[in-house]
Amino acid sequence: MDKYLEQVKDGWNILNGRKPGKSTPETYMLFAAALAQSLCCWIIGSFFTYFFSEKTTIANETVISHTPYGVAIVAAILIIIFNALSDKGKNLNALSWFGEFAGKWQEEYYESTELCKHYNVLFINAIILCKVLCMAALISSGQIFWIIYAFLLGYCSYIATASKTDTLKSKPHADIEIYTICGVFLIASCILHRHLAPVLIAAAITYFVKKFAIQKSIQKIEIVNDEINRTISQVIVCISLIIGILFIR
């Protein structure tokens, strides 16, 4: 058991940009670490829905009837803070780096504007705003479970791409393995709810978005570094959250 816990810990460190142990964890342990961090986000949201939601009693059973939107906003903000503390701001730094890079790219190859000098700030704010509003909407509507899926797909995207970089160069086939494991988990978990179609749509769209983004990055700048990888994973989280809002009924 200690061996598996150590591998999950190393996987957690890899996801959050910290130095792992002496050996790279198995792919399924990386997935376990991604699932653990996604569950932490779900637990934060569940804490607020459990203690601060309006409840009603039906047939001697108390159920949550409504979560105030203000409470959902607070929960969403705390989830973002938790992730920022976990990775010591590496995802936010990646978003800022990408925004600055995009601004310099526009200045060099296209028309230079004052706006492109502030792409880093605009990009970070856009991603954070999207995540807060989408998570708040899901929490308020009682679909908090989708937060697990959104973050899990984002982490799996990061692991899959990292297998092609120095981060996980010892796991060249981790991209296929991680999506296989993730796909099995997502489909199997649908026995707990009736949202198979949104799950399949989210998995398919995020996979092809990741693949398209990586191809474009290699085509344009011939490299996929950690900052680009983290940026793609954050965009995939946002896309997954939006899909949840649009397709869960």
Side-chain angles (χ1 to χ4, degrees):
M1 178 61 75
D2 291 341
K3 172 186 175 182
Y4 294 119
L5 289 176
E6 190 67 25
Q7 287 200 45
V8 171
K9 179 182 177 181
D10 288 341
W12 183 290
N13 289 336
I14 290 172
L15 290 176
N16 292 306
R18 294 184 173 90
K19 189 176 180 180
K22 296 180 180 180
S23 60
T24 305
E26 297 295 332
T27 306
Y28 62 88
M29 287 291 109
L30 291 170
F31 175 81
L35 179 59
Q37 191 150 338
S38 302
L39 286 172
C40 288
C41 298
W42 172 78
I43 289 171
I44 293 172
S46 297
F47 173 85
F48 281 87
T49 58
Y50 183 82
F51 287 103
F52 300 101
S53 296
E54 298 174 7
K55 299 178 177 64
T56 185
T57 302
I58 302 175
N60 296 325
E61 182 178 354
T62 301
V63 296
I64 296 174
S65 61
H66 175 67
T67 301
Y69 197 74
V71 172
I73 287 284
V74 172
I77 291 174
L78 287 178
I79 290 173
I80 290 177
I81 292 175
F82 162 75
N83 281 288
L85 292 175
S86 296
D87 61 31
K88 295 185 177 180
K90 286 189 177 292
N91 286 335
L92 294 177
N93 179 69
L95 294 173
S96 177
W97 178 92
F98 183 81
E100 186 175 353
F101 172 80
K104 291 179 179 178
W105 179 277
Q106 179 174 328
E107 286 182 340
E108 183 173 353
Y109 294 100
Y110 301 98
E111 180 184 2
S112 177
T113 64
E114 288 299 317
L115 183 62
C116 68
K117 298 177 181 179
H118 305 286
Y119 278 173
N120 56 339
V121 177
L122 291 173
F123 197 53
I124 288 179
N125 289 338
I127 293 294
I128 291 178
L129 184 62
C130 177
K131 289 166 72 173
V132 168
L133 294 180
C134 289
M135 285 193 291
L138 289 167
I139 293 171
S140 181
S141 62
Q143 308 295 347
I144 190 172
F145 76 93
W146 192 261
I147 290 176
I148 300 175
Y149 291 174
F151 280 96
L152 187 59
L153 288 169
Y155 290 131
C156 286
S157 168
Y158 177 80
I159 294 169
T161 305
S163 67
K164 305 301 181 184
T165 66
D166 291 339
T167 306
L168 289 175
K169 60 182 178 181
S170 62
K171 300 288 183 182
H173 302 296
D175 54 338
I176 299 174
E177 294 173 356
I178 195 66
Y179 273 108
T180 300
I181 297 170
C182 183
V184 171
F185 171 81
L186 292 177
I187 294 174
S189 66
C190 289
I191 63 173
L192 302 175
H193 56 78
R194 299 179 179 178
H195 301 293
L196 177 61
V199 167
L200 294 177
I201 292 171
I205 290 178
T206 55
Y207 173 79
F208 286 111
V209 166
K210 188 271 301 184
K211 191 173 182 179
F212 174 79
I214 297 303
Q215 289 177 344
K216 279 296 181 182
S217 178
I218 294 175
Q219 178 184 343
K220 295 294 184 180
I221 61 176
E222 300 181 352
I223 191 175
V224 179
N225 57 19
D226 190 63
E227 286 79 11
I228 292 176
N229 191 4
R230 290 185 178 277
T231 298
I232 294 171
S233 69
Q234 292 302 295
V235 170
I236 283 178
V237 170
C238 290
I239 292 174
S240 302
L241 291 170
I242 292 171
I243 290 173
I245 293 175
L246 293 177
F247 292 98
I248 293 180
R249 295 289 183 269

